[in-house]
Structures are given as C-alpha cells and as structure tokens.
Amino acid sequence: MKILRTKDAVKSFCQNLVNDKLSIGFVPTMGALHQGHLELVKYAKENTEAVIVSIFVNPTQFNNPDDFDKYPKTLDNDLELLNNFGVDAVFVPDNQEIYPLTPTLKLDFGTLERVLEGAFRPGHFNGVGIVVAKLLNIVKPHKAFFGQKDLQQVAVIKTLVIDFSFDVEVVVVPTVRDHDGLALSSRNLRLEPKDREKALTLYRSLSFAKAELLKGGSWLDIRAKVEADFSRWPDVKLEYFELVHSGQMLLMDGLHPEMPQSICVAAFVGEVRLIDNISVNH
Ligand code: PAF
C-alpha cells in the first residue's frame, strides 16, 4: 500500500492507474477508522479495480474548535487496517497541502442545509463541500463512497457533483451498527463507558418512531414521546429529531408512503455529539 502525502504524488499514482485502464474507487475519511469505514472500502473494492482512501481531518467543516481539537486521531492503526484490507493507496495530506490558501469561495446548498446538521452546525457543509471538491479534483475517481449515516452529507455531495459536473458516481453505503444498534462513528471512541447506554437512546428512538409511524401514529405524538425519553438523562441533550424527505431534506409532518422518508436525530451524550438516521419506507 502506497502512502501518498502530496497532491502531485496522488495525481501521478492515479494517472498510472488510468493509463492501465483501471477504474478508481475513492473513500474520503477523517481517520479514526472503524468497521463503518471498512464497509466503504469493501464496497469500493467490490465495485472498482483500485482503491484510494484519504485521511484528513478537515478543519473547515468543524464549527466548534473544541470538536476539531478532540477529534480522535489514530493514524498508525488506520494505516495498518487499510493495509490489511488491501487498499492500493492512502492519501494523507497535511493542512498546507489541502489549504495552501484560505478558500474564498463559499458554498451554499440552499434548502438542503437549512435544517438538521446545516442548521445546528453553521458553515459545516461549506467546509465539507470545499474539501470534497478538492479531493475529487485531486483523485479524479470513477466512483466515490459515502456512508448513509451522514444522510444530509450524501444529499449535499450529490448536489456538489451535479452542480460542478464532477465525473464521478456517488455510491451510498448502508450504516454499520454495533451489536446493540449503536451506529459506528469515530466519535464513539470519545464516549465514556458509562455513557454508552445513553447513546443507545438514539437508535432506540429511531426504531420506535419508525415502527409507530408505520402503524399509523401521529408524528407529533411520536416525537413528543421521544423527547420525553431523551429528557430522562440529565447529561443527554437532544438537538433534533426530525422526519425528512431522504433526498431533499425537507421537514415532513407525517408519513408519505409515495416518498422516500427518513428520521434523523442528533444529540449530545455528555460532551460527544452523535447523529444517526433510519429510512422509513425505502
Ligand atoms: O464523512 C466524513 O468523514 C467527512 O465529512 C469527509 C467526507 C471525509 C469530508 O471531510
């Protein structure tokens, strides 16, 4: 497995792959890899002939400097995992390599980012959009792989790809969960052992709400019950619990079987902010 640290090194590595007529799969990450990332790599390996992973904790997508400072960093372990998984190359740039200049461009994804993460983390999707655009320009993959756990990010990236005419297929990979349902996330590494039970409230509430909705329950009643469940824990703070159109991210107030709908949640468990979602009808 090649470890590439510069844009030029990635470009020449990828050019060689193209010369050899190999399709390139790309998995962008911020490191602290877990089984969810490895699932993205697995999909990439199944769907393309050469796989490149990037590891870059992108400062511009953190609206909270403390969250950025505390983001887990496990580079040696990450590289070992990727090597064992048969990845062809890993791009590990430093900040200067990605941001030689502070970007002046500002991306606004309109209604896609007025709710959920976009509303609670102002500027987050500008940072995601900028870095993903840069990485796609450097790697020029045929397919890029993103996790469904970041549902709104997927919608934003699909829009970015269309609006900038990137010649890449966006492949969405289902969320990987622990045995108890907790969605895998790099941030889980920061959960205190005592908080794990509380963190399970996210998936439990999503499953409950989906089952109730499909039984014909009213969304407002369901959400009120979920809010009550969250409020049992003094150090758990629910940020949002919303029913949305899965692609357009429009808030909905009830079941519409003809549309793809998802329930999305974000909550602080102690100091750790977690998100999750479940699809309702597709
Ligand atoms: O999902 C992530 O890990 C990040 O948002 C991404 C896509 C790697 C951009 O920094």
Side-chain angles (χ1 to χ4, degrees), residues 81-125:
L81 282 174
L82 295 174
N83 190 30
N84 293 342
F85 231 75
V87 163
D88 296 271
V90 187
F91 180 32
V92 195
D94 64 12
N95 198 55
Q96 184 64 20
E97 194 62 25
I98 296 293
Y99 294 115
L101 295 170
T102 304
T104 40
L105 183 68
K106 291 268 177 282
L107 299 177
D108 181 340
F109 294 91
T111 51
L112 279 185
E113 63 160 308
R114 298 286 175 265
V115 296
L116 313 178
E117 293 303 282
F120 280 85
R121 302 179 67 189
H124 170 65
F125 287 119

Side-chain angles (χ1 to χ4, degrees), residues 7-228:
K7 298 188 277 285
D8 286 348
V10 176
K11 284 179 186 169
S12 83
F13 184 85
C14 292
Q15 189 55 53
N16 286 336
L17 296 172
V18 170
N19 294 346
D20 291 344
K21 305 215 174 335
L22 296 175
S23 58
I24 303 173
F26 177 47
V27 180
T29 80
M30 299 206 297
L33 302 184
H34 50 67
Q35 209 52 44
H37 295 108
L38 295 180
E39 188 73 3
L40 301 179
V41 174
K42 187 174 141 235
Y43 267 63
K45 281 184 71 81
E46 283 167 4
N47 287 284
T48 53
E49 289 157 319
V51 176
I52 302 190
V53 175
S54 64
I55 299 179
F56 178 63
V57 186
N58 173 36
T60 62
Q61 70 186 75
F62 287 83
N63 56 317
N64 173 353
D66 194 46
D67 192 24
F68 174 64
D69 292 341
K70 293 193 174 146
Y71 201 82
K73 291 166 193 77
T74 57
L75 185 60
D76 291 345
N77 186 54
D78 293 349
L79 294 177
E80 194 182 327
L81 282 174
L82 295 174
N83 190 30
N84 293 342
F85 231 75
V87 163
D88 296 271
V90 187
F91 180 32
V92 195
D94 64 12
N95 198 55
Q96 184 64 20
E97 194 62 25
I98 296 293
Y99 294 115
L101 295 170
T102 304
T104 40
L105 183 68
K106 291 268 177 282
L107 299 177
D108 181 340
F109 294 91
T111 51
L112 279 185
E113 63 160 308
R114 298 286 175 265
V115 296
L116 313 178
E117 293 303 282
F120 280 85
R121 302 179 67 189
H124 170 65
F125 287 119
N126 172 55
V128 169
I130 297 272
V131 81
V132 170
K134 281 173 175 278
L135 292 168
L136 291 178
N137 270 327
I138 298 166
V139 178
K140 296 195 172 44
H142 298 92
K143 298 185 184 190
F145 297 80
F146 295 90
Q148 195 174 345
K149 188 172 86 68
D150 295 300
L151 186 74
Q152 194 174 16
Q153 171 170 281
V154 165
V156 159
I157 288 169
K158 283 183 171 169
T159 297
L160 181 86
V161 163
I162 292 171
D163 285 3
F164 283 136
S165 304
F166 282 110
D167 196 5
V168 64
E169 182 188 333
V170 172
V171 181
V172 184
V173 176
T175 304
V176 180
R177 300 185 177 280
D178 234 327
H179 61 95
D180 49 13
L182 184 66
L184 297 191
S185 160
S186 304
R187 289 189 168 83
N188 294 355
L189 287 177
R190 292 182 49 215
L191 280 176
E192 306 271 344
K194 67 173 177 46
D195 285 342
R196 187 168 172 102
E197 165 70 15
K198 301 173 195 167
L200 288 177
T201 315
L202 277 83
Y203 183 60
R204 215 185 31 237
S205 60
L206 290 174
S207 307
F208 164 80
K210 173 177 175 169
E212 291 297 304
L213 253 187
L214 292 176
K215 273 193 262 166
S218 121
W219 174 246
L220 291 183
D221 292 350
I222 295 167
R223 189 165 62 183
K225 283 187 190 141
V226 165
E227 284 167 355

